[in-house]
Amino acid sequence: MALTTHSTSQKRIYQFDWKDYDQTIINRGDISFYLEILDDMEKELEIANTKKIGRKFAYPDCLFVFCAIIRYLFHFSFRHLAGFLTFLSSHYQFNVPHYTTIQKRIYTIDLAQYFPAFDFSDNHISIALDSSGLKLYQYSDWLRSKHGAQSKVRKGWIKIHFIVEVKTHCVVAVEITDEQVGDSTEAIPLLSEAQKKCAKLDKAFGDGAYDTKEVFNYCAKHKIDPIIRVRKNSSTKARGSPARAAVVRAIQNYGFANWKKLNKYGQRWSVERAYSVFKGYFGDSVCSRTFEHICVEVRQKVALMNVWLHQLSEIKV
């Protein structure tokens, strides 16, 4: 096993298997790696139609799980998927669904059930939360720059809110909203969803967007240590949130630089890495048009990304 030893300025030493890392990246583009999903098509279809009332299913769910993976991995349209399945059908002997059927069935699939990437039910974990934007249309920045104001039409954004486990960078909870919704508004629903999946949340890292009394009070109520940056002119008086006042006093006593170091505030960047990976894999825009389908698309992409991040996290020795 080819191991490389790294040492940081703090003399923290860890080892990384670059050979396994390279193979993991190669496997993502290996179609045969995903074709294993289709091995039990007939058996799954028979089980799905057992005791079914009404018209029987013509295609098993695993076929559309495979379609979803290929769609997001290679940025295929539904018509492209129909052509791709036509090629595969000559080797795997199955009927090819119409592209409209592919579209309808993909939006009913829960990829997280097929690829459970992580299990935090027995762990005390630290999390980081933040939001980022996705474009609704792949509108050309060059076109706007070239032709001026008439091309600078505002198309809108979709905001995705992540809670990420700081060690593996896997997404624990996700919410999808429009661009008008603030980060702090979605913090409590995100934390609530994360608590259902995790035995105990130890720390929650966040930037200044989460500097609200409601977020600090929720963390205090559920015994979560809030490592959240507060405003510079914040008062040390409680004013309805003793937990927030304690953080303000700590920053004033130690200084912000020392407070960051003591609380390892730099771990907040794990959520930024998750967004970088998400947009690197799937682009910075969505393929769907209706909000309902956008939500399904983003959650499916997150489930697929979690599988890959989980595989990478296991390479470290």
Side-chain angles (χ1 to χ4, degrees), residues 90-103:
S90 60
H91 300 278
Y92 282 81
Q93 305 300 321
F94 62 86
N95 295 326
V96 178
H98 194 264
Y99 71 87
T100 56
T101 302
I102 297 174
Q103 178 182 11

Side-chain angles (χ1 to χ4, degrees), residues 176-190:
I176 301 96
T177 66
D178 60 31
E179 58 184 318
Q180 303 299 329
V181 178
D183 292 1
S184 60
T185 304
E186 293 299 315
I188 294 177
L190 281 170

Side-chain angles (χ1 to χ4, degrees), residues 101-120:
T101 302
I102 297 174
Q103 178 182 11
K104 292 176 182 178
R105 290 288 295 273
I106 279 182
Y107 287 132
T108 65
I109 296 297
D110 184 6
L111 286 185
Q113 293 183 354
Y114 282 82
F115 304 103
F118 57 87
D119 181 12
F120 295 130

Side-chain angles (χ1 to χ4, degrees), residues 301-315:
K301 288 178 177 179
V302 167
L304 190 58
M305 182 184 72
N306 275 344
V307 176
W308 296 334
L309 289 176
H310 186 68
Q311 292 172 348
L312 291 179
S313 68
E314 293 181 338
I315 296 176

Side-chain angles (χ1 to χ4, degrees), residues 131-139 154-162 174-179 274-289 291 293-299 301-302 305:
S131 70
S132 185
L134 294 176
K135 293 188 290 186
L136 287 174
Y137 301 93
Q138 294 179 343
Y139 200 66
R154 183 170 178 80
K155 297 295 184 178
W157 298 80
I158 289 294
K159 286 184 73 173
I160 50 176
H161 307 257
F162 282 177
V174 58
E175 292 287 344
I176 301 96
T177 66
D178 60 31
E179 58 184 318
Y275 283 124
S276 177
V277 172
F278 183 90
K279 294 182 180 182
Y281 288 161
F282 308 116
D284 60 353
S285 62
V286 292
C287 303
S288 305
R289 291 294 171 260
F291 184 75
H293 288 168
I294 288 172
C295 292
V296 175
E297 176 187 334
V298 171
R299 292 184 182 278
K301 288 178 177 179
V302 167
M305 182 184 72

